[in-house]
């Protein structure tokens, strides 16, 4: 699976860092409309799973954690592929997509699909996360604006 991921990133001409011991590929993504953030692919060979994460590039102030968590809950409802997660210890937010290929293999097309879905969702919802976290917008108002 790791070879497929690397092949895709090289085909797209994305610079990446490989941690073969951790089975992780790290890269930066730049969306000209909403900003840039760190992404990483994680291979779970034993489970035959591949996960792709986009990390929210802003630090969420602790006093806004509950409001951001509410925004993420509203965003996740009905989301067909992937989900937002928030670490309750430090307030870090990320979006996760993944695929289980047990009994099959990870193809470039499948990996590209989870990457595309992931980047699209982070691009769509990042402005709302920023509004709720840094501009004190209400979660429901921010969801209305981004959806």
């Amino acid at each position: 699976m790791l070879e497929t991921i690397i092949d895709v990133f090289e085909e797209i001409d994305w610079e990446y860092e490989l941690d073969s011991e951790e089975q992780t590929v790290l890269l930066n993504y730049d969306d000209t409309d909403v900003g840039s953030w760190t992404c990483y692919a994680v291979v779970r060979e034993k489970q035959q799973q591949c996960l792709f994460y986009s990390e929210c590039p802003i630090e969420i102030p602790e006093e806004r954690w509950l409001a951001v968590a509410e925004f993420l809950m509203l965003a996740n409802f009905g989301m067909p592929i992937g989900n937002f997660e928030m670490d309750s210890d430090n307030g870090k937010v990320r979006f996760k997509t993944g695929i289980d290929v047990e009994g099959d293999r990870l193809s470039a097309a499948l990996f590209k699909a989870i990457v595309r879905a992931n980047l699209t969702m982070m691009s769509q919802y990042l402005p709302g996360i920023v509004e709720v976290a840094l501009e004190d917008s209400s979660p429901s108002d921010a969801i209305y604006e981004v959806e």
Side-chain angles (χ1 to χ4, degrees):
M1 281 192 278
L2 202 53
E3 289 176 18
T4 301
I5 292 167
I6 291 168
D7 288 346
V8 167
F9 289 156
E10 288 182 354
E11 175 188 323
I12 299 171
D13 200 27
W14 277 353
E15 291 185 31
Y16 61 88
E17 294 177 31
L18 172 64
D19 184 340
S20 54
E21 186 175 314
E22 293 293 322
Q23 297 284 290
T24 302
V25 182
L26 181 73
L27 61 126
N28 289 310
Y29 179 74
D30 186 24
D31 181 315
T32 55
D33 293 328
V34 297
S36 61
W37 58 85
T38 300
C39 302
Y40 55 99
V42 177
V43 172
R44 300 176 71 198
E45 280 293 343
K46 188 175 182 178
Q47 295 87 356
Q48 294 184 299
Q49 297 171 341
C50 176
L51 306 172
F52 190 80
Y53 294 93
S54 281
E55 291 187 341
C56 179
I58 64 164
E59 186 173 327
I60 311 296
E62 190 169 354
E63 65 273 9
R64 298 298 294 163
W65 288 5
L66 287 177
V68 170
E70 181 181 345
F71 174 86
L72 299 178
M73 177 195 65
L74 294 169
N76 281 335
F77 184 76
M79 191 168 288
I81 298 174
N83 64 284
F84 281 97
E85 303 174 333
M86 182 174 186
D87 188 324
S88 61
D89 291 331
N90 58 26
K92 290 187 178 184
V93 171
R94 64 186 182 180
F95 190 79
K96 174 183 72 182
T97 48
I99 190 162
D100 186 316
V101 293
E102 186 176 356
D104 205 347
R105 66 177 184 80
L106 179 66
S107 68
L110 289 173
F111 182 67
K112 286 178 185 178
I114 67 168
V115 169
R116 188 177 319 108
N118 188 296
L119 298 176
T120 299
M121 292 297 99
M122 183 58 92
S123 292
Q124 179 178 350
Y125 288 93
L126 182 56
I129 295 169
V130 170
E131 278 189 37
V132 173
L134 304 180
E135 300 171 19
D136 293 334
S137 292
S138 76
S140 57
D141 288 347
I143 279 291
Y144 180 76
E145 286 182 33
V146 299
E147 290 185 340

